[in-house]
């Protein structure tokens, strides 16, 4: 059990990568706080995940809250401490990527994307880090950034800067929080088939193109990202901080 006796908060854990990570953390012995949007659908999905986790003897609670709200991190931390007494790992995963062209990008789409993916994350990381510092026994913070932190996307001009921002936030926080034993790392998934890109990949040509560009010959699945998150959360990664781990089937290095 890689995460025995640890309390893990994961945002956006009702579905996709966050859900897979929450399930795997619980399998590895963690007590899990399932962060979700607070919508009826999100609450329903989170409750079904709690049932799944309890069925194999794990422990989990759910907490609703808008990831864009700077107060949501405090809410998640308070709920974790009330239910489980500590916060040992914080995984910032919630995110949106409404594909849109640059020249006519509506301000509200840009601002919603930046607020959800980066601004809320900043304050959530701060809330988790303060709790870990006060506990006095270190911790691990992981941002679900993206391959898009390193490369562009013509329909993602509002999105890629948020992923580069998270990547950079983890690098700077690794320095700021190292003295407290708090490790900060990011995972950089490639293209993982989830709801975030369902519409985009419904285009068969695009789907075939993305698959053909991936040396491992398939798109990723949420479970492909869960293992790397658990590794970075665990004491197996005790000397890893400020790092970023591509989880992309080789997509990034595939120039020719
Ligand atoms: N699927 C992919 O190809 C890749 C995804 N990522 C990142 O992985 C993370 C998870 O995305 P996926 O699982 O793929 O998509 P998804 O759409 O299945 O999951 C996104 C999660 O974030 C939550 N969320 C969205 N807006 C929220 C808000 N305002 N407040 C609270 N929760 C909110 C959703 O409810 C959902 O649980 C995102 O940050 C995304 O940018 C990174 C690289 C590639
Ligand atoms: C949503 C996209 O399909 C996905 O998100 C990312 O971060 C990657 O750049 C992929 O394009």
């Amino acid at each position: 059990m890689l995460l025995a006796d640890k309390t893990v908060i994961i945002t956006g854990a009702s579905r996709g990568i966050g859900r897979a990570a929450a399930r795997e953390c619980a399998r590895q012995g963690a007590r899990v706080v399932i962060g979700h949007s607070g919508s009826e659908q999100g609450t329903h999905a989170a409750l079904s995940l709690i049932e799944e986790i309890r069925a194999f003897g794990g422990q989990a609670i759910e907490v609703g809250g808008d990831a864009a709200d700077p107060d949501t991190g405090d809410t998640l931390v308070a709920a974790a401490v009330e239910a489980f007494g500590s916060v040992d790992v914080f995984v910032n995963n919630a995110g949106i990527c409404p594909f849109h062209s640059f020249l006519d990008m509506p301000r509200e789409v840009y601002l919603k994307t930046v607020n959800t993916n980066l601004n809320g994350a900043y304050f959530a990381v701060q809330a988790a880090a303060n709790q870990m510092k006060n506990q006095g026994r270190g911790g691990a913070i992981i941002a679900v950034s993206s391959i898009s932190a390193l490369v562009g996307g013509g329909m993602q001009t509002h999105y890629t800067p948020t992923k580069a921002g998270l990547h950079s936030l983890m690098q700077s926080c690794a320095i700021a929080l190292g003295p407290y034993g708090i490790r900060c790392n990011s995972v950089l998934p490639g293209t993982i088939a989830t709801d975030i890109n369902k519409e985009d990949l419904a285009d068969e040509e695009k789907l075939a193109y993305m698959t053909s560009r991936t040396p491992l010959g398939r798109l990723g699945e949420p479970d492909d990202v869960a293992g790397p998150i658990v590794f970075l959360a665990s004491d197996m990664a005790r000397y890893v901080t400020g790092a970023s781990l591509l989880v992309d089937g080789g997509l990034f290095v595939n120039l020719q």
Side-chain angles (χ1 to χ4, degrees):
M1 295 274 231
L2 289 173
L3 302 178
D5 284 332
K6 292 191 194 290
T7 301
V8 178
I9 299 175
I10 306 183
T11 66
S14 61
R15 63 176 198 237
I17 293 169
R19 187 180 182 101
R23 195 191 295 116
E24 192 52 36
C25 285
R27 274 210 188 99
Q28 294 294 338
R31 303 172 288 258
V32 178
V33 177
I34 300 164
H36 61 89
S37 65
S39 69
E40 198 178 317
Q41 206 182 11
T43 308
H44 187 261
L47 289 172
S48 83
L49 179 56
I50 290 179
E51 266 181 44
E52 262 186 65
I53 289 173
R54 287 190 180 150
F56 60 75
Q59 296 181 68
I61 60 165
E62 52 82 26
V63 180
D66 185 355
D69 182 342
D71 290 333
T72 294
D74 293 316
T75 307
L76 288 164
V77 167
V81 172
E82 191 187 332
F84 301 130
S86 67
V87 176
D88 303 293
V89 178
F90 179 73
V91 182
N92 194 88
N93 166 75
I96 55 172
C97 181
F99 285 76
H100 204 289
S101 44
F102 173 63
L103 292 174
D104 58 350
M105 177 69 68
R107 284 185 183 175
E108 57 273 22
V109 175
Y110 172 80
L111 291 170
K112 186 173 178 193
T113 305
V114 175
N115 284 332
T116 304
N117 294 6
L118 183 59
N119 292 338
Y122 183 96
F123 293 105
V125 167
Q126 186 187 52
N130 272 306
Q131 176 62 29
M132 290 172 189
K133 174 187 167 247
N134 292 340
Q135 289 168 189
R137 55 166 198 263
I141 298 176
I142 298 146
V144 180
S145 171
S146 170
I147 188 176
S148 300
L150 309 177
V151 290
M155 298 290 278
Q156 295 175 306
T157 58
H158 49 329
Y159 173 79
T160 60
T162 68
K163 293 294 155 178
L166 285 173
H167 171 56
S168 170
L169 179 63
M170 288 301 98
Q171 291 180 328
S172 290
C173 283
I175 305 166
L177 301 174
Y180 305 104
I182 303 169
R183 300 181 295 101
C184 300
N185 295 291
S186 54
V187 289
L188 313 183
T191 297
I192 313 297
T194 66
D195 285 357
I196 208 172
N197 49 28
K198 207 173 191 170
E199 216 178 296
D200 186 50
L201 297 175
D203 175 347
E204 285 188 12
E205 257 181 53
K206 172 100 186 251
L207 175 64
Y209 173 69
M210 293 311 296
T211 307
S212 72
R213 287 208 50 194
T214 307
L216 289 184
R218 64 170 176 87
L219 299 189
E221 294 164 8
D223 278 337
D224 294 324
V225 189
I229 289 174
V230 166
F231 164 67
L232 289 171
S234 77
D235 295 341
M236 298 279 279
R238 63 183 174 270
Y239 199 57
V240 181
T241 196
S244 50
L245 180 52
L246 277 161
V247 187
D248 68 345
L251 181 59
F252 179 73
V253 296
N254 189 15
L255 179 61
Q256 52 189 318

